[in-house]
């Protein structure tokens, strides 16, 4: 059994658990095939200059700082919780992990029926959270003395047994379903691609990380976009182009049939559903849309 | 816990159960992201002017009539069973729910060894079905008195315990595997997109429903199609184009290399597998095919 | 219950088990929709001139020889094991079944701590394998007398209970994890599309099999490729094209904006991830990549 | 495929679905081994004078009346819903299906925030329920006109979309979790063992059904009981016996060691946990408890 | 990684797969706790003089002969198939593996519609089976030349593609469901506990195997039996005892209350369900039955 | 949504996760039925003077100290880790959670190939563990400076990425399978039933907890024991009794047939399997064994 993270390679820390599959899919669309075997934490990656390991998102920034890996993907929340903000290089932000691309929030919440109205009302109380350090610092900064206890997994029910919780929420719906009331937001977080400082100073590693960042961003960008092609009568081209979002420059190609041109454009899928009915009414024919792997502007 | 179907939105009823995932996938290809959380019947949809709820397909037309939702997707069979044909607007037919795009049939069936040969032989007998009202009306119209009993789920075995069943079939293979014989078809059904009449009379709701219908049909159309591109020697262009289905007008673009042109065409995937070997033999090179999200002619 | 493999059709044997889903997906990308119902070994295929049956990969070559099916997909290892090499037509090799496209190997292995160093050291010993005939022939050819016992499923543990095993391996990692040492390779294998000899002599069947082979190979080819489009300033076109792999001839199309051209090329996804950062630095804009279904050069 | 419910046997209808496993377990403890094969609704039973079929609990009373089966287990609620109370023989009540042995209730419920306070406030409103007939009769008897709509499966959410529901509850906790308020109880129900009237009049069938009823009740009785044995000093026997529940007559046996007697008694498991500490303090030794299969007083 | 089957222990081969759990349960009731960890074929057993390994039932007799294990549990069919009948010691027969305790049969079967009526009609045909050697010997003994092909897993469908199958059946129901007709039975089989001949000649191993056999048989015997206790008036004791099966001698104990005696008897559970109603009518009270772990007459 | 842990009841903390089912089973055999509904952390318990909540084992001692619950079951390791040893009352030790009843150990382990031989060699290194506080205290007490990092879940792989781990082991087999070497044991742990100090001072709560402890211990005691009954000829009674373990006093009862006595004894199941063959040879007949729920000596 040998060390699978060779120092000859760019060593990459990937989040296991709920983010694992979406991360592997993202790399797949970016051009890297990662395959995980059931019994191993070392995924195979089809680039001989890279190696990878799966850690919990909570741990990754620590192992980047410890130089166990050169770089990794993790949440800003866990970077802050581990106190690693100043000890790593943030290569880029990546919004890929959720149905929506909204950031998540860590909020202080109490039962609907609680008398607590503001953070200061919690002096002397017990608060359960998985984000212990951040919560302690937040209360200390306000000079409100509290006991903060580490709580594994979902804490909703503890808001009722103890006094309050600090819990992760995306839309607030799980908190509402548990009849909890949000007092305030402690931290807003998204996923980050981060590097070890000494790895960042090695030129080939840095270039490789920058390339990966470009490809990952291109793959994320492509997720909410589609390619659209249509045939437009030469006479109505200006009218059609006026519908298209201003920032896009469509590719207009001549066709064999000289009365018509082919127009191709990349659109957000939300725009697409508004535009297609209008384009059709404006005389476009043969409208098709197709999926994209990557969009790099 | 508040009412999630705001009257400010277009309220959409979606079928839960066996159609749920294929319906969500269809909307996805049409440009609408719908996400279902495990414990809620209210999916989230990425359009702030829309809200959605999951019902069983059997119920949706009733809730469209009751004005609980503005529109919904359901089978023609359940519209008829609920007696709602005249109380709703049928926006369009959608053939997306099955491996094949054939309609389903509700058939009257008896055991292979039964003496029953035609519907009239069933006078005085007991028939099990989930489609009670339709079956009763069908026998009443023929003046054949029968007892029709509601039967949950698969009824095949009841054809043997009682006298006959009225059951759903697509290819008849499940009936044959149970050694049942079809006497006749009572009803043929496909999926429909239907609207509440008063919602249909509100202009912004009607336009939105028409747009959704166009996008859904475009997404269904695209499922059995592919885009095909190839490079063709200018000299053989006419010969190649002659192979292509007459109704298609290929997009022919000039190439930098003037002896060649690029030809692009949208094909049904069944045509594609016949055409590609012929195109290759006719001199086409660099033939590629790619998947489509939407095709709007 | 009737015979579902009509002699009017091209009768196709498909491997069940671990290869089943990837084979069906491959045919799907090639343009054939195959649907398997849970309780039947006869998948439906959307071509009325074809019928299909699922067998274990180990059996398929035998049933091709027995004329139960006209053609089938199976591993070269099982063709050899069944002694069918000379009794079938090999239409083509297909590398689709694995994460990597490397062939698999059947290797002779012993425990790390065993005194056995070469095949000849095994005289008089017991060897467990699923590939009994091939192993017997291999040892007989070397005049080393051994007892070869059939072993169901994974044999790793038997290397320790008996004396040696002949086992399938792709990367050797499972053998290493079991502390086994490879003595030598007996057979290297990939998937093959094979035909019955008399079926091959029937013109319409042969043409159909050749077409299927072309489409399957096109679909495999497409798996590791993407389409890439970009806009390039006319002035830098030569520089950009110089980056592209020599064997590729990009499609260059004029654009309405005369200072620019559209360039489209098909790339391997491994090339893509190296090229995109370079193309962008060379002035390309609007770079997108999109997935492919088939690539036929 | 032959008729598996021979009229030479006692034909038994068993509930499929959520009650299926607990019913089979109950028969097992009563002495009848019932085995269900995955693809058949006809379980095998190790008594050649019996045959069995699985139906949904909702249907069983109808098939008892139709003489498809001689007897069956079903809920009182579905007997009432089907209007079969007067057309069947109720052999006995059986409290086996739930964690607790409390009956279930069908209750009328509205959202916590609804203005409805009593049944009469629902005039003109829409009510969703699986128990359509019973609900209609209940409102009709009070002269309150309502629309009652059949609703598949859980209806909690419909209380919020329509006006009220009639839903099954055991402890009310699911209703509370959905913030619903109970207006009144329409029906209280337990499981019943019921017979077809003509089957009941056949002596051997009636005797068999009575024996089955005795054994099923004995098995249910045993579930909440244990056997307890202990050795007690002759001198303290009266004291110990005084602790035991009055209605129980313990079996007192002499022991070889004449200063001691063996005492054996059947207890409810709730009594047991109170008694054991007291018995030990009163000098009992070697206290053991053991599980029971059947208790017939 | 060391050899876990020490020659200091009694090495036991246990069947993996469908028999695994019932075998472990049987040993559990016999007094041996066997625990299987997910990734190992070497179960732990709470007797330091024993070690165990899981093999497929098909292989066990071979490994007993090869002296890999001292003893094992396997089917008589696989002993015969492997040709090991004369090379092992059969310690005892064990009927534990099935819902019923009937032996299984390997039968020759053809499609219902086949012209084949007797074995001799199959001359020159192809037969699929997992029991290749036994089938070949059976046909050879009748001088009927056939091709016998090994078939993995269920062969029902192959009866239709080839000419006949030799398949395992317990009740024949799966064959009937596939519309197959049985021609004749080739082999009847039950589970056997078998030993290696040299292990059997070692006194401590032989005694241990005999003890295990006694305990396993005692555990099997107990499965279909229950203990029954009741209080009987002294005056009716003879009458009650007359009901009990002749071969049983009940334990009659005096009670403190001199008019009554306690009667305890071990019964088969099928007898129990007939007896209990009669005993109750004969005046027995406080009838209880309880489960047994082992019965050794 | 109300507070389900009423202060009128004995509030019990139960471990969720891997111990949950075995804990509920244990209480079941002790006489308390606990039922867990899927979406709630508040199990129902059939004693109106008790209420229960599920927490992770890691948290329970903290919530006992915080007076959220009156008592709970947790591991000694987590009591120590939380620093709660002196702030709670330990009611009793309970060995129920494992296949064997051996305690678990937290051990310091390094890769087989590491140069580290003793704890002191780890100065300046990084150690991963879930038991952070205990590990820090252990190293501090030896004056060896190390960095201890919290690691979620299994840490085996981290022994190879960092320098060492402190991990839980029962038999050491998982460590061996990962090629890790144990340096020393930091802590040995079993499950404990613990109480809040103020709850312990309330007489009715204390009595209830003592009774529960007695019943739980009785249920654990019964798990590895069976009841054995046999008939013995009066003449050989002394001989038979001499076989039985000295500490057991069998219950000897006269039988109606005066030449025989009934002997009943409680045995450990390991003794049973040795004894039964000997008892049978000594003339005992009608030997049966039966399962026990509770044994209180």
């Amino acid at each position: 059994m040998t060390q699978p993270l060779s120092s000859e390679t760019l060593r990459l820390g990937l989040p296991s658990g709920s983010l694992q599959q979406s991360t592997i899919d993202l790399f797949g669309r970016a051009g890297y095939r990662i395959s995980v075997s059931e019994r191993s934490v070392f995924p195979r990656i089809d680039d001989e200059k890279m190696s990878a390991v799966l850690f919990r998102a909570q741990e990754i920034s620590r192992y980047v700082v410890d130089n166990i890996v050169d770089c990794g993907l993790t949440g800003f929340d866990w970077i802050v919780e581990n106190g690693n903000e100043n000890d790593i290089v943030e290569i880029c932000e990546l919004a890929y992990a959720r149905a929506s691309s909204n950031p998540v929030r860590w909020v202080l919440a109490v039962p609907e029926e609680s008398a607590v109205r503001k953070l200061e009302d919690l002096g002397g109380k017990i608060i359960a959270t998985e984000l212990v350090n951040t919560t302690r610092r937040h209360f200390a900064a306000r000079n409100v003395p509290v006991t903060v206890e580490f709580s594994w997994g979902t804490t909703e029910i503890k808001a009722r047994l103890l006094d309050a919780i600090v819990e992760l929420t995306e839309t607030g719906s799980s908190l509402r379903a548990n009849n909890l009331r949000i007092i305030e937001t402690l931290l807003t977080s998204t996923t980050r691609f981060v590097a070890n400082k000494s790895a960042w100073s090695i030129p080939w590693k840095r270039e490789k990380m920058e390339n990966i960042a470009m490809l990952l961003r291109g793959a994320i960008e492509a997720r909410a976009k589609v390619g659209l092609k249509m045939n437009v009568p030469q006479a109505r081209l200006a009218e059609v182009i006026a519908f298209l979002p201003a920032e896009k420059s469509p590719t207009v190609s001549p066709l064999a049939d000289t009365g018509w041109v082919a127009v191709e454009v990349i659109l957000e899928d939300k725009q697409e559903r508004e535009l297609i009915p209008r384009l059709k009414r404006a005389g476009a024919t043969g409208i098709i849309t197709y999926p994209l792997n990557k969009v790099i502007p």
Side-chain angles (χ1 to χ4, degrees), chain A residues 167-224:
Chain A
E167 181 54 293
L168 190 68
T169 188
E170 191 181 355
T171 63
S173 64
S174 174
L175 295 173
R176 274 194 302 278
N178 284 283
N179 281 324
L180 300 180
R181 183 159 38 83
I182 295 178
I183 299 293
E184 66 174 67
T185 296
L186 275 72
L187 186 67
T188 292
S189 177
T190 55
T191 303
R192 309 292 163 96
F193 183 33
V194 296
N196 174 276
K197 287 187 170 178
S198 67
W200 190 248
S201 69
I202 300 168
W204 77 264
K205 287 200 173 178
R206 178 169 174 167
E207 184 185 337
K208 202 161 184 63
M209 290 187 270
E210 285 176 333
N211 286 355
I212 292 169
M214 181 190 290
L215 296 166
L216 292 176
R217 281 198 313 252
I220 292 170
E221 193 71 18
R223 272 217 316 188

Side-chain angles (χ1 to χ4, degrees), chain A residues 109-114 126 128 155-165 174-181:
Chain A
V110 296
E112 198 63 78
E113 66 274 17
S114 163
I126 306 178
T155 56
E156 278 93 345
I157 202 61
K158 289 178 187 154
R160 231 154 220 103
L161 296 175
L162 305 177
D163 299 300
I165 58 172
S174 174
L175 295 173
R176 274 194 302 278
N178 284 283
N179 281 324
L180 300 180
R181 183 159 38 83

